Amino acid sequence: MPTVCLGLNGTLFWKLGLSDATALPEDWLKNAVSVESNEGCHIVIPRPGAAELLVELERHACPMIYSAQNEEFIEKALLQLSIAQGDPDTCTDEEYEKSEAFYDHYVWSRDQCIAGPEGFRKSLGTLSEFSDNSINDIWLIDHSPERVDFPNHVIGVAEFTGDPQDRELFKVIDQIFVN
């Protein structure tokens, strides 16, 4: 089964400081969660379609998170996004499936990135050395293919900036699973 890595900030969600969130339209913050980590408190706005994409990927691949964020923040953000999907005792089966989609992923964080003058780079080649898959079976869904060692293995999406009308991940679902 192929491994499909997912970037976080700018891909599955948008992370911003508390003071930055006050300038946003109220409807942009409707699904936002607060995440407190050793980096401080941040607001995370999930991208429309993020849960749906994760649910669909679970059926066909081994999804994992590969982010330049620190691991503590990643784990806390994914937990808060999972909780925000609904109470497992009262939510629908679909809401529960979306909730579970955010939780319990294998994570590569900033610690597994390559630091450089332009920022952190993700190495799918290194990931292939540590996984059961060759590079041919490892993909990344991200908005920054120029920061990956195998850019031809990146399914590019436009950077997410919090707009609740964003439909990029739904387009990815259609490209990967419908065609």
Side-chain angles (χ1 to χ4, degrees):
M1 196 174 272
T3 297
V4 178
C5 306
L6 297 123
L8 288 182
N9 192 28
T11 302
L12 289 185
F13 61 64
W14 187 35
K15 170 186 168 186
L16 61 158
L18 289 175
S19 60
D20 298 325
T22 60
L24 294 176
E26 194 172 308
D27 65 325
W28 283 36
L29 298 171
K30 184 176 92 175
N31 296 317
V33 296
S34 178
V35 178
E36 198 166 327
S37 70
N38 59 8
E39 293 182 340
C41 191
H42 292 88
I43 298 297
V44 170
I45 301 173
R47 188 176 209 158
E52 291 84 354
L53 176 61
L54 287 166
V55 166
E56 199 60 41
L57 281 174
E58 287 275 338
R59 295 181 180 134
H60 305 282
C62 296
M64 71 172 278
I65 303 301
Y66 196 168
S67 174
Q69 303 293 314
N70 78 47
E71 189 167 351
E72 178 199 18
F73 175 81
I74 294 168
E75 296 290 345
K76 288 183 176 189
L78 292 174
L79 177 62
Q80 291 305 313
L81 290 168
S82 177
I83 291 169
Q85 293 296 318
D87 180 351
D89 295 331
T90 60
C91 67
T92 66
D93 289 344
E94 183 180 330
E95 289 169 332
Y96 181 75
E97 193 174 32
K98 289 178 184 179
S99 166
E100 287 293 301
F102 280 108
Y103 194 66
D104 203 24
H105 287 286
Y106 187 64
V107 171
W108 268 28
S109 65
R110 181 178 296 161
D111 294 338
Q112 287 79 34
C113 290
I114 301 165
E118 74 287 343
F120 293 97
R121 293 181 49 85
K122 298 171 186 171
S123 175
L124 299 180
T126 302
L127 177 60
S128 73
E129 293 173 15
F130 288 91
S131 94
D132 293 336
N133 287 339
S134 73
I135 190 64
N136 292 331
D137 290 326
I138 297 176
W139 298 89
L140 172 67
I141 299 173
D142 201 283
H143 70 282
S144 299
E146 69 280 358
R147 291 190 172 173
V148 180
D149 60 350
F150 284 88
N152 59 332
H153 279 254
V154 176
I155 299 166
V157 294
E159 184 173 8
F160 179 57
T161 58
D163 184 356
Q165 301 304 313
D166 181 281
R167 293 293 173 253
E168 284 295 309
L169 294 183
F170 291 109
K171 292 176 189 175
V172 170
I173 293 169
D174 287 346
Q175 288 173 335
I176 295 175
F177 301 111
V178 175
N179 292 329

